[in-house]
Amino acid sequence: MKRAPIIPKSSPAHTPASPASAPAAPMVDSLIARVGAMAKGNTITLPVCGRDVKFILETIPGNAVEASTKVWAGNERDQEFLTEDALDDLLPSFLLTGQQNPAFGRKVSDCIEVADGSRRRMAAILTSGEYRILVGDLDDEQMDSLCKIGNDYRPTSAFERGKRYAFRLEHEFNGNISALADAENISRKIITRCINTSKLPRDFIALFTHPGELSARAGDNLHRLFSENETLLHSKTSELFEKRKTGIVFEAEEVIQSLTDALKVPKDNPSASQLKREFAPGAIAQYKGNKVVFSLDLSKIPKHCIEQMESILENLQQSGSV
């Protein structure tokens, strides 16, 4: 079983809320040994953000998990993409032995908010299995820290990270991408690529087994191609969905290549990039992407035809359509 992470057995008092540079995964086994034998109602004290938190183990029946728990709003993992295919590393072990590694969260009113353990939560829902979660008195900083530790073990996708970067860029950094890059300790290029990936349609992202199959580089490239070919992208996405319904299985590379081939205009084929149509001598329309350019030769086109064209544009202007 690919076990999700838990917080380290110990941490110094000055531990920041941001994720550590080293992954949390190596500490999983040692902590599992401590909590593996715990039963419902047992307690354990663990440090989170340098402050000791007393956790109580709660077990929730599978048929009650969805109603009595929810994922904390600050968790960047997109829950809609947690499908059976995306959780194929967890579902078999849930069915055979149940959940081995407790999740972490806090209680708000009668509901438990999950910080680390949203994938295990969905696995419990899909298998109707018991959900084990350590519940403690956690503030938002500690909830955020637990989320990041969990995501350090099973990274979120470029699409999901891009959503968070875009939100922070607008609401916290006033569009200053350099300041955001410093705060996230990553390059501006990575942030830009992730943000562009996050702008791709959700139905396209759903073509993948899980969003993590689409890298920031590939997503950025598709976004640039997509920006002037929205209709074609949606059409190709729908086509791939229809094929998948017939039982055809696409690897991530096949999806990306298929979309890239459909959207990319061959450089050695000018006619494909720009179409020209002559309606009458002196009346030519050129089509390129989403733009149409009309060329009218006043010496060849009757005056009343020009006036009709002008009248159409004036009507659009008055109606506010342009």
Side-chain angles (χ1 to χ4, degrees):
M1 170 183 174
K2 297 182 180 179
R3 291 167 294 198
I6 322 185
I7 55 178
K9 181 176 179 180
S10 61
S11 61
H14 62 275
T15 301
S18 59
S21 57
M27 301 303 298
V28 173
D29 288 335
S30 63
L31 191 51
I32 287 179
R34 301 179 64 192
V35 302
M38 290 179 63
K40 180 178 181 179
N42 288 171
T43 64
I44 187 172
T45 299
L46 298 168
V48 184
C49 295
R51 303 188 299 275
D52 284 344
V53 178
K54 180 180 180 180
F55 290 96
I56 301 176
L57 182 65
E58 296 202 17
T59 58
I60 304 169
N63 59 6
V65 175
E66 189 167 13
S68 58
T69 68
K70 65 179 180 180
V71 179
W72 181 53
N75 190 323
E76 73 180 14
R77 196 179 298 282
D78 196 314
Q79 301 302 300
E80 290 186 21
F81 293 125
L82 294 182
T83 62
E84 291 187 13
D85 288 336
L87 298 172
D88 61 358
D89 60 315
L90 286 178
L91 297 182
S93 60
F94 263 70
L95 289 169
L96 290 173
T97 59
Q99 179 187 350
Q100 301 300 303
N101 191 20
F104 283 85
R106 67 183 179 187
K107 183 162 289 188
V108 178
S109 298
D110 294 329
C111 185
I112 295 177
E113 284 187 336
V114 179
D116 169 34
S118 67
R119 298 181 75 248
R120 280 161 282 169
R121 173 182 179 272
M122 185 56 69
I125 292 173
L126 292 175
T127 62
S128 298
E130 187 177 75
Y131 187 52
R132 304 172 72 229
I133 181 167
L134 290 166
V135 179
D137 185 10
L138 302 163
D139 59 25
D140 285 353
E141 180 190 18
Q142 292 169 315
M143 292 285 284
D144 184 59
S145 178
L146 288 168
C147 282
K148 288 176 178 177
I149 290 175
N151 292 340
D152 181 54
Y153 181 83
R154 178 78 177 198
T156 50
S157 65
F159 177 84
E160 292 162 321
R161 293 195 303 275
K163 295 289 186 184
R164 178 168 63 84
Y165 294 154
F167 180 87
R168 297 196 71 190
L169 185 63
E170 178 182 355
H171 295 89
E172 299 178 36
F173 295 92
N174 197 29
N176 188 333
I177 195 169
S178 295
L180 174 59
D182 290 339
E184 292 284 345
N185 196 29
I186 56 177
S187 70
R188 293 176 53 181
K189 179 183 290 187
I190 292 176
I191 287 180
T192 299
R193 285 176 173 174
C194 287
I195 290 177
N196 285 341
T197 300
S198 74
K199 294 177 181 178
L200 290 169
R202 293 181 65 85
D203 57 347
F204 166 67
I205 301 298
L207 283 172
F208 299 91
T209 300
H210 60 83
E213 290 187 330
L214 179 64
S215 69
R217 183 189 296 273
D220 177 57
N221 182 53
L222 285 172
H223 171 262
R224 285 187 284 104
L225 294 172
F226 155 74
S227 60
E228 294 185 357
N229 297 275
E230 182 175 356
T231 301
L232 182 56
L233 178 62
H234 283 292
S235 174
K236 190 63 179 179
T237 298
S238 297
E239 177 185 323
L240 291 177
F241 263 118
E242 290 303 315
K243 289 182 178 180
R244 198 165 73 174
K245 288 180 181 178
T246 66
I248 298 176
V249 178
F250 296 103
E251 296 294 332
E253 294 78 7
E254 292 178 306
V255 174
I256 295 171
Q257 191 61 53
S258 179
L259 269 294
T260 301
D261 291 344
L263 293 171
K264 189 179 295 182
V265 177
K267 294 182 179 179
D268 58 350
N269 186 3
S271 61
S273 61
Q274 181 168 307
L275 300 177
K276 182 185 293 186
R277 181 179 178 186
E278 185 174 13
F279 291 90
I284 299 174
Q286 291 180 315
Y287 304 84
K288 185 176 182 180
N290 294 326
K291 296 181 180 180
V292 182
V293 178
F294 292 98
S295 298
L296 304 176
D297 189 336
L298 297 179
S299 65
K300 298 179 180 180
I301 305 298
K303 183 178 180 180
H304 73 275
C305 291
I306 302 296
E307 292 175 345
Q308 288 178 350
M309 291 289 293
E310 292 174 339
S311 177
I312 292 173
L313 295 175
E314 288 172 355
N315 289 335
L316 286 173
Q317 184 180 37
Q318 293 173 3
S319 67
S321 299
V322 295

